Amino acid sequence: MVDWSPFFISMKTASLSIVITFFLGLIIAWGIVKLKNDSLKIILDGIFTLPLVLPPTVVGFFLLYLIGVKGPIGSFFIEFFAIKIAFSWPATVIAAVVMSFPLMYRSARGAFEQVDPNLLDAGRTLGMSEWKIFWKVLFANALPGIISGGILAYARGLGEFGASLMIAGNIAGRTRTLPMAVYSDVAAGNMGNAIDYVLIIVFIAFIAIFIMDFISIRKEKQWRY
């Protein structure tokens, strides 16, 4: 019989992580685009993109070093708030955010850089604030690329395994997500359950891509006409 707890844990993790990643990616991408110092821009871009090219276990190692029981952040939360982050459900969210962030950030940055700067200047001449220019002009014109970034980030958060295993573990009913459930059942020889989990992951990913692509295509058609 299929244990549905990995499904609910994965959905909670992916849903919260995409909200955090979406807005964090937008704000940081906007800041990098506006940055005038090219050297600093290259350095920061490298830092923000690094989780995309590093092995997930290496990213998980760094996260464990930071938020583990003896890590600077982990020990701070334990000492002052009596909260243990590592090997808890919030750790799965942190891993998903860190691993999916580069996809959202790079997609948003690429979409922002394709927007005609004259549109932004026109907004400034009309007396619009920078915040209003961001939402009314930059965000609106970059929306298809931003949606694509959201698709990739959501799918990456849903399928996160390596970093989550390092900092959240594979605790049944607490931190075992769908990818970990697949791994656990394959290791235990329960191929039937593993196939069920795989089908669930594929179905969720396909629905997410279909919905977001549908929104993106409708938005592009509205702009054409």
Side-chain angles (χ1 to χ4, degrees):
M1 185 174 178
V2 176
D3 178 13
W4 284 96
S5 64
F7 168 78
F8 294 115
I9 293 171
S10 288
M11 292 305 296
K12 286 195 303 180
T13 299
S15 298
L16 181 55
S17 67
I18 188 57
V19 172
I20 298 171
T21 303
F22 184 81
F23 289 103
L24 193 63
L26 285 183
I27 293 170
I28 293 180
W30 184 36
I32 292 295
V33 169
K34 291 180 62 179
L35 198 61
K36 302 300 181 183
N37 189 320
D38 289 338
S39 298
L40 182 59
K41 182 182 289 189
I42 292 172
I43 293 172
L44 291 176
D45 183 73
I47 294 173
F48 294 139
T49 308
L50 204 55
L52 186 64
V53 295
L54 286 176
T57 50
V58 174
V59 177
F61 172 82
F62 283 118
L63 290 175
L64 187 61
Y65 178 81
L66 291 173
I67 69 173
V69 176
K70 296 182 179 180
I73 299 176
S75 59
F76 173 82
F77 272 84
I78 290 175
E79 182 176 354
F80 291 97
F81 304 104
I83 297 175
K84 181 183 176 183
I85 302 176
F87 301 102
S88 65
W89 177 73
T92 66
V93 177
I94 293 172
V97 168
V98 171
M99 294 303 298
S100 62
F101 171 80
L103 295 171
M104 185 66 220
Y105 156 72
R106 294 202 66 87
S107 297
R109 181 184 169 184
F112 288 158
E113 289 176 340
Q114 291 179 3
V115 175
D116 188 351
N118 292 325
L119 294 175
L120 307 182
D121 293 335
R124 294 186 182 99
T125 59
L126 294 173
M128 296 174 65
S129 65
E130 289 296 319
W131 191 243
K132 183 171 278 189
I133 289 173
F134 173 76
W135 286 110
K136 297 291 186 179
V137 182
L138 189 61
F139 178 83
N141 284 277
L143 190 58
I146 291 171
I147 291 176
S148 297
I151 295 170
L152 296 174
Y154 180 83
R156 186 68 186 86
L158 183 67
E160 169 49 33
F161 175 78
S164 295
L165 187 62
M166 291 288 288
I167 68 167
N170 187 13
I171 306 171
R174 291 179 57 194
T175 65
R176 180 173 292 173
T177 57
L178 284 170
M180 291 183 191
V182 172
Y183 173 80
S184 298
D185 281 328
V186 170
N190 299 325
M191 296 303 293
N193 283 351
I195 291 173
D196 290 337
Y197 289 133
V198 168
L199 292 176
I200 292 172
I201 294 173
V202 171
F203 177 76
I204 295 171
F206 179 80
I207 292 298
I209 292 172
F210 177 83
I211 293 174
M212 294 185 184
D213 277 350
F214 179 76
I215 295 172
S216 179
I217 291 171
R218 286 199 61 182
K219 192 68 177 179
E220 288 180 351
K221 286 184 177 179
Q222 287 176 3
W223 288 346
R224 282 181 200 162
Y225 302 106

